[in-house]
Amino acid sequence: MTTRETTSIPLITADPEADELRAKGLRQMRTIAVGLLLLAAAVYVATLGQDGVLGFVNAGAEASMVGAIADWFAVTALFRHPLGLPVPHTALIPRRKDDLGRGLEEFVGENFLQEDIIRERVDAATISLRVGRWLGEPEHARRVVDEVSDVAVIALGKVRDDHVESLIRDALVPRFHEEPISPLLGSLLSETLRDDLHHGLVDLALTEMHDWLVDNPDTVTEILGERAPWWSPPSINERVTTRVHLELVRWVADIRDDPHHHARRALDSMLEQLATDLLEDPATQERTERLKDRLLDHPQVIASSVSLWNALRRGLTGSLRDPEGAVRQRLLTEAHAFAERLLTDQALRTRLDGLAADATVFAVERYGAEVTTVITSTIERWDGKEAARRIELHVGRDLQFIRINGTIVGGLVGVLIHAISVMIH
């Protein structure tokens, strides 16, 4: 069983100037309340034993003193023992501050942290509309982009190469080893073939191959010449390799220019069969998985990944630091577009406000008890006398009106009672 820490600590004055102003106001109101009491006492002494109108004045002054003293006692009893006398049920705040804290905690929890109240206040706040209006100002949008960019640059700078290497080696690579890649490749290849997305890549490859063959005839003939028989005369080899090169160029050009060339159909058929095998053939799947594992286990995978990350980070960092960089400009454009949507799209605002209300309710339901407990735990750590002094600074000035009203009302009641007494006699 644990016990709550109850060490008393003094309260820290957040604003000495404000406290001085509060103390000044409290002294002024006390002076007025005491002045009225002394005035009532003086009138009482001056009219003591008088009849007639002065009898009414004397009765009123007497009742005013009683009311003033009674209310002084009541107000003072909240913060300290009146006249230093340990009268029961006085100095309530220093003695019962812990009970006050628990009561305040229950009051806040029961009256403020309720779902209906929270949703009502979030809806009334029209958060999304305010955000839209604020973000719609160019200087505000620029400020948001600047802050996001600065934070992103700092965050990117905090990521070291060993962090990336550790992430890839300890988290990503083991996960890739466990995850079968054959179904993924098979599905991706099937979708690519179904949508004819591979044709663009084939066209590009054929164009590049044709251009290379045209620009490098010597290389082609040299490669072909290396495969010629040793006993073949050089002149015949040259004519054969030249002819082969010419036919190779023509063949690649035909495939490039004819979308329905039989070689293209053969390639499509081969790729379709590969996609099917990746999805259904255990032998193909096993070979693919072995190839994947060999690639993942190669040391260059991690080194290349780190290099790729560094290149990406340098590009992002440079663009984020440049006020006119592409990333910042894109962020600014998106911020303006989002602000415009918030201002014009009622459905979006309603959805976002609902999400904000749901998030707030979730946070309160999950952490509300911990939040309100802060009230009790904080008050329990306060020094009793210091807590009473601080509370009196904040509310004591208004409490002096109780003394003033008690003096005035007491005098009026005294006059009324004296009038009734005169009429009875």
Side-chain angles (χ1 to χ4, degrees):
M1 180 177 179
T2 60
T3 58
R4 180 177 293 173
E5 178 65 43
T6 58
T7 303
S8 296
I9 59 172
L11 298 180
I12 300 175
T13 301
D15 190 344
E17 295 183 0
D19 281 353
E20 181 59 32
L21 290 176
R22 295 187 185 103
K24 182 179 179 180
L26 176 59
R27 288 193 298 269
Q28 290 175 345
M29 295 306 299
R30 279 177 174 172
T31 300
I32 294 174
V34 172
L36 289 176
L37 173 60
L38 294 177
L39 176 62
V43 171
Y44 173 76
V45 172
T47 59
L48 188 62
Q50 301 294 324
D51 295 324
V53 175
L54 293 180
F56 282 90
V57 174
N58 181 262
E62 181 181 8
S64 292
M65 288 191 298
V66 173
I69 294 173
D71 289 337
W72 163 80
F73 185 92
V75 171
T76 304
L78 291 173
F79 306 103
R80 65 187 65 85
H81 294 300
L83 302 177
L85 301 176
V87 180
H89 304 296
T90 59
L92 296 179
I93 291 178
R95 289 193 306 106
R96 305 197 57 185
K97 63 179 180 63
D98 295 348
D99 296 333
L100 174 64
R102 285 189 288 271
L104 184 59
E105 175 185 337
E106 295 175 359
F107 177 79
V108 172
E110 294 174 0
N111 295 277
F112 293 93
L113 303 184
Q114 298 297 317
E115 180 175 351
D116 294 341
I117 297 175
I118 293 172
R119 291 189 180 277
E120 178 184 353
R121 297 314 306 162
V122 172
D123 291 340
T126 59
I127 298 173
S128 58
L129 181 60
R130 294 185 180 185
V131 171
R133 290 172 178 171
W134 186 84
L135 195 59
E137 298 292 332
E139 62 273 17
H140 294 161
R142 172 66 69 177
R143 178 181 175 185
V144 170
V145 171
D146 290 343
E147 291 294 334
V148 170
S149 300
D150 292 343
V151 172
V153 169
I154 295 173
L156 289 172
K158 295 295 183 180
V159 181
R160 302 195 308 267
D161 289 351
D162 58 315
H163 293 160
V164 179
E165 181 178 345
S166 176
L167 174 66
I168 296 172
R169 183 182 62 252
D170 299 334
L172 298 183
V173 169
R175 179 58 180 165
F176 290 152
H177 273 299
E178 296 174 359
E179 190 69 25
I181 196 174
S182 300
L184 175 62
L185 292 178
S187 299
L188 179 61
L189 184 55
S190 297
E191 294 291 335
T192 301
L193 293 172
R194 182 164 48 249
D195 297 335
D196 293 332
L197 298 178
H198 66 297
H199 286 164
L201 181 60
V202 172
D203 292 339
L204 177 61
L206 289 170
T207 300
E208 292 296 326
M209 182 183 296
H210 179 270
D211 293 342
W212 186 87
L213 290 171
V214 171
D215 296 337
N216 300 275
D218 295 338
T219 303
V220 175
T221 56
E222 181 181 352
I223 294 173
L224 293 175
E226 292 176 353
R227 307 297 298 176
W230 61 269
W231 44 263
S232 178
S235 58
I236 295 178
N237 289 341
E238 183 177 354
R239 286 196 296 271
V240 171
T241 54
T242 302
R243 183 64 179 179
V244 171
H245 172 259
L246 180 60
E247 291 300 325
L248 187 59
V249 171
R250 288 176 179 175
W251 184 65
V252 172
D254 290 341
I255 299 174
R256 180 196 63 187
D257 299 334
D258 184 4
H260 304 290
H261 196 279
H262 63 86
R264 284 179 179 263
R265 293 197 299 270
L267 177 62
D268 289 347
S269 177
M270 182 191 70
L271 292 176
E272 289 173 359
Q273 184 61 47
L274 177 59
T276 301
D277 291 342
L278 286 171
L279 293 172
E280 301 175 1
D281 182 44
T284 303
Q285 293 174 347
E286 183 180 356
R287 289 195 300 271
T288 304
E289 296 303 323
R290 287 202 303 267
L291 176 60
K292 177 198 71 174
D293 291 338
R294 287 199 301 271
L295 289 174
L296 291 175
D297 291 336
H298 197 283
Q300 193 60 35
V301 170
I302 296 179
S304 298
S305 300
V306 173
S307 299
L308 180 62
W309 160 253
N310 284 328
L312 177 62
R313 177 171 57 182
R314 285 193 298 270
L316 283 174
T317 302
S319 187
L320 288 169
R321 284 176 174 168
D322 182 6
E324 304 300 327
V327 175
R328 280 206 179 196
Q329 292 303 311
R330 185 61 182 178
L331 289 175
L332 193 59
T333 300
E334 293 299 327
H336 286 305
F338 182 63
E340 184 66 23
R341 284 198 62 192
L342 287 177
L343 293 175
T344 58
D345 192 341
Q346 176 63 43
L348 176 62
R349 293 202 303 270
T350 301
R351 187 163 63 253
L352 292 178
D353 288 342
L355 291 175
D358 291 341
T360 306
V361 169
F362 171 79
V364 169
E365 289 179 348
R366 191 172 182 86
Y367 304 108
E370 286 78 2
V371 173
T372 55
T373 302
V374 173
I375 299 174
T376 301
S377 60
T378 301
I379 291 179
E380 285 182 351
R381 297 178 62 195
W382 286 355
D383 176 77
K385 293 182 179 180
E386 179 68 6
R389 188 188 72 82
R390 294 284 297 159
I391 295 174
E392 187 175 17
L393 279 179
H394 282 77
V395 302
R397 181 179 183 278
D398 294 328
L399 291 179
Q400 301 308 308
F401 284 103
I402 297 177
R403 297 174 58 185
I404 295 173
N405 292 336
T407 304
I408 297 173
V409 172
L412 295 176
V413 172
V415 171
L416 178 61
I417 294 175
H418 184 72
I420 296 174
S421 177
V422 170
M423 286 188 296
I424 292 176
H425 290 84

